[in-house]
Amino acid sequence: MADATTASPSTTFIAFIFDWALYFIQMLSHLLNGYFTAFFVFTGIILNLLSVSIFLRKERAGTPAIQYYLVTLTLWQTALLANAFLLYSFPNLWWGHLVSQGTYVYLYPYVYTFANTTHTGSVWIVLTLTIDRYLALCQPLKHRAIGKKRRVRRLMIVVSAMAVMFSIPRFFEVHVILICDEDQLSCVATIDRTELFDNRLYWTIYHVILAMVFVTLLPCLILFALTLRITIALRSAIAKRKSLCAPNSDIDTRCKSIKSSRYNSSRKDHKSNIMLVLVIAKFLVSDILPTVIDVLEHVVGQSAFMRSPLASLFVDISNFLIVLNCSSNFWVFFVWGKRFRRSCRKCIKSTLIGACIYDMAQWNNDSEVSLCAPSSFTTGNATKVYGSTERSFRYKRNMELIVSRTDETSVSRT
């Protein structure tokens, strides 16, 4: 009896800690699946649709083939955000937890299938984009042969169709059944697994072998290797460009020839490559944890994995990282894409509210410039500070030289 009484306080304390940890995990899962996911889903869908509209506007003027990758990837990720909201966020916001019974579960077979389809499509589009950048930077001759717009457009259609076909078996893994009481008076719809899901041969071939080879483990390793190789190629390109023009050789005529339209175009291509590498690296970081969780689930076993609260929290974190990745590409495009920022400004100005906000901002800027505006005798550096273009600066400088030479000629004649 003495041992039992002495052991009871420690047992109570351990049970209290366990209950508190379980409550914390449930609260964190509710926040991730509910409010945080809903916020990034809605903001991500709006920004992704804005990005697609900007890309399509730029396409009319004739744009590089890389935008077919970006438009297709953005559309897949927008669909993934919508499915994440229907599958995780809305049930947590409405009922406070994920539901397995009721009228809402009739959507689960379709949402579950399309959620896996969008994830597979996003992985494959990013993989083809990474291969395209690798060929463009490391093997440019091959990239010229296969990097044409028409071929890239066909490739995006084929990859998207293959992603849909690969995810069709997911639809037959779950179904809705009716559970009725003993009197058969009231029945409730319940989501349940089918016999196909419990088939060990199907699970081994489709979920273990094919999923790890085509969706999770092998694509993640290929993305990591190619991203590392692309990063090394970009660093060597930066070093080579710096060696062509030393920092203190602005007076040298050779460096002036380098600072031509060809140099500016290569610099723009370099920035666009950095932007695409950031998109790939961001996707790779967000996809590492789901890959690790998928491998652990196969190693530990599905039943033991699903019973662990900590494993469920890791699944929720991995789903949230995917949502965060799908909703943040706009900011990468906006920060690193000068043409994208210009097109975004035009798109915002095309709306009534955006035009009003832009005019107010321009009015404030104009008032500030009018107070501090330079005179006609300011130097070229001051002109650049106040926002005139390089072409207008050269024009003004040439005009000043012509005027000064004319004055000297008239003075010498007199």
Side-chain angles (χ1 to χ4, degrees), residues 188-239:
V188 59
T190 305
I191 192 72
D192 193 16
R193 299 172 180 173
T194 61
E195 296 179 356
L196 180 63
F197 190 89
D198 296 328
N199 192 328
R200 190 169 186 84
L201 180 62
Y202 168 78
W203 177 268
T204 304
I205 295 176
Y206 185 77
H207 280 267
V208 178
I209 299 176
L210 294 180
M212 293 181 67
V213 170
F214 292 104
V215 182
T216 57
L217 185 59
L218 186 59
C220 188
L221 295 176
I222 295 175
L223 284 174
F224 178 78
L226 293 181
T227 304
L228 183 62
R229 183 68 182 88
I230 291 171
T231 305
I232 295 173
L234 286 176
R235 288 178 63 89
S236 63
I238 293 174

Side-chain angles (χ1 to χ4, degrees), residues 22 30 56 84 118 129 153 165 194 205 227 289:
L22 186 61
H30 177 68
L56 293 179
T118 53
L129 173 61
R153 193 187 310 132
M165 294 176 61
T194 61
I205 295 176
T227 304
L289 186 58

